[in-house]
Amino acid sequence: MKKFIILFPVYNDWKSLLKLCEEIDIQVKDLGAEFSFLFINDASTEKKENFSLNLNKINSIKIINMKKNHLSGRCIATGLQYVVKEEKFDYIIVMDSDGEDKPEYIA
């Protein structure tokens, strides 16, 4: 089975990100693949609340916290470096955490 990791750089967009994650879970429910989320927190100033997501198709969620704000390009590079070294995967999808990228495009 193919394994997808969806990488999100995030800066203070926690509510939008959580809504997006739930929408993605709905969109991928019938796909014959495994999905995981990787959040790269770009030193958000907005406190991240403890969150619980009702996800059925997502196998795991990991968060990497940046010490300083580096903007999305550096966060994406950090996430890609982590995934290549630490994870087994077939595909990586990079998506904006603010909902700019549409979940229906994943299929």
Side-chain angles (χ1 to χ4, degrees):
M1 184 176 294
K2 298 292 184 188
K3 182 173 181 181
F4 289 79
I5 296 175
I6 304 177
L7 188 155
F8 302 91
V10 58
Y11 179 77
N12 291 341
D13 284 332
W14 296 105
K15 286 183 182 179
S16 296
L17 175 63
L18 299 179
K19 182 178 178 196
L20 178 61
C21 289
E22 290 176 342
E23 291 173 9
I24 290 170
D25 187 59
I26 292 167
Q27 290 294 319
V28 302
K29 71 178 184 217
D30 295 327
L31 299 179
E34 293 181 18
F35 290 87
S36 298
F37 291 152
L38 176 60
F39 303 158
I40 308 298
N41 176 17
D42 195 15
S44 293
T45 57
E46 188 179 279
K47 188 163 175 110
K48 176 182 61 66
E49 305 271 334
N50 287 337
F51 58 86
S52 68
L53 291 167
N54 185 20
L55 304 175
N56 297 309
K57 185 70 177 187
I58 308 306
N59 292 345
S60 69
I61 298 173
K62 294 183 181 174
I63 302 173
I64 295 175
N65 293 302
M66 303 292 281
K67 291 180 183 176
K68 290 177 29 178
N69 181 266
H70 291 287
L71 304 177
S72 64
R74 175 67 71 85
C75 287
I76 292 167
T78 298
L80 292 173
Q81 183 179 22
Y82 168 82
V83 169
V84 167
K85 286 183 179 178
E86 303 294 332
E87 300 288 336
K88 293 183 183 201
F89 67 96
D90 295 296
Y91 300 99
I92 299 172
I93 299 171
V94 177
M95 296 187 80
D96 275 338
S97 60
D98 61 6
E100 193 172 303
D101 297 319
K102 304 294 181 214
E104 53 269 18
Y105 295 158
I106 293 173

